[in-house]
Amino acid sequence: DAGITQSPRHKVTETGTPVTLRCHQTENHRYMYWYRQDPGHGLRLIHYSYGVKDTDKGEVSDGYSVSRSKTEDFLLTLESATSSQTSVYFCAISEQAKPNYGYTFGSGTRLTVV
Amino acid sequence: DQQVKQNSPSLSVQEGRISILNCDYTNSMFDYFLWYKKYPAEGPTFLISISSIKDKNEDGRFTVFLNKSAKHLSLHIVPSQPGDSAVYFCAASGSSGSARQLTFGSGTQLTVLP
């Protein structure tokens, strides 16, 4: 999506290894989010950020950490990947805490933990 | 416990007919509701929204209806087109605290048959 990119798009990793996913935005939006999408669960919030170095936990934060050292970048780290973390991860941005048009999402990162 | 529920994982309709996608919520703090559309290998994109002070919002072929007493909303697509085939997510947010982040349903796969 315009203004928001996720990298990598696909990744296969082994159980127990650390993995970092990157979300980069060029919109200068204050709020950034990490969601994971799984069959039967839809999109579930992992962590979110409301400014540089300001982050908070979402619904499914166990096993994940995040960092935001710059407005444009929001990193999601799996310290020790497990098979249950195989999923599609989406980053989203918004200008306001409660935007009228919701969030703008990236194209996703498909992560497979073997 | 899912606060936003989409009980129909899939729906098939004939081109030109009406598609009705349903969503139920349990959190009475939700006051803003959105529908997103998602194509394979892409991120979700905003479709239409409705505030809790309204019971209907229309945008072209898409209309969202909200029944607050029943905690139920629906998305009507008329007429349905093959390009509408996608996964549709219902989402909700509240005005304070953690409820401000979007909570999503599990999605409904809509297939429009030519």
Side-chain angles (χ1 to χ4, degrees):
Chain A
D1 285 58
I4 177 171
T5 55
Q6 292 183 234
S7 59
R9 290 298 311 274
H10 302 271
K11 186 170 182 66
V12 180
T13 192
E14 292 186 351
T15 298
T17 61
V19 178
T20 296
L21 309 183
R22 181 184 185 231
C23 178
H24 178 78
Q25 61 144 329
T26 57
E27 305 296 323
N28 201 35
H29 285 347
R30 178 180 174 187
Y31 299 88
M32 299 186 75
Y33 310 84
W34 277 107
Y35 282 85
R36 59 179 288 175
Q37 183 196 2
D38 303 289
H41 292 279
L43 293 153
R44 292 180 292 175
L45 181 65
I46 305 171
H47 281 279
Y48 64 98
S49 170
Y50 45 96
V52 173
K53 297 186 179 178
D54 290 325
T55 64
D56 206 347
K57 297 178 179 180
E59 177 188 0
V60 290
S61 60
D62 287 349
Y64 301 94
S65 63
V66 290
S67 66
R68 190 164 178 206
S69 58
K70 299 183 291 185
T71 298
E72 57 265 35
D73 289 324
F74 192 31
L75 305 180
L76 177 70
T77 297
L78 291 66
E79 301 291 346
S80 178
T82 67
S83 59
S84 65
Q85 293 175 312
T86 292
S87 186
V88 181
Y89 292 85
F90 288 99
C91 177
I93 60 175
S94 68
E95 199 167 12
Q96 302 167 0
K98 187 178 174 182
N100 288 341
Y101 298 101
Y103 307 156
T104 301
F105 283 85
S107 298
T109 294
R110 180 173 294 276
L111 176 68
T112 303
V113 183
V114 297
Chain B
D1 182 36
Q2 284 190 308
Q3 298 185 68
V4 179
K5 299 179 183 179
Q6 294 178 256
N7 293 318
S8 298
S10 63
L11 174 68
S12 293
V13 298
Q14 209 69 36
E15 180 179 5
R17 304 295 289 270
I18 184 171
S19 295
I20 300 176
L21 295 93
N22 294 303
C23 178
D24 297 294
Y25 63 96
T26 58
N27 191 339
S28 58
M29 299 299 291
F30 289 148
D31 60 4
Y32 203 77
F33 305 89
L34 307 91
W35 285 93
Y36 277 80
K37 179 167 72 172
K38 184 186 179 303
Y39 293 118
E42 296 182 9
T45 55
F46 170 78
L47 186 59
I48 192 169
S49 63
I50 188 167
S51 164
S52 60
I53 63 174
K54 296 184 176 181
D55 55 18
K56 177 183 175 181
N57 188 28
E58 189 173 353
D59 183 3
R61 296 185 298 114
F62 303 92
T63 303
V64 56
F65 295 91
L66 175 62
N67 182 333
K68 282 188 295 182
S69 62
K71 292 190 175 68
H72 177 83
L73 63 155
S74 61
L75 174 67
H76 293 210
I77 306 173
V78 183
S80 301
Q81 301 173 353
D84 296 329
S85 296
V87 176
Y88 289 78
F89 291 102
C90 171
S93 71
S95 295
S96 62
S98 62
R100 287 188 298 177
Q101 284 76 46
L102 286 179
T103 299
F104 286 83
S106 55
T108 297
Q109 171 70 57
L110 173 66
T111 302
V112 180
L113 305 169

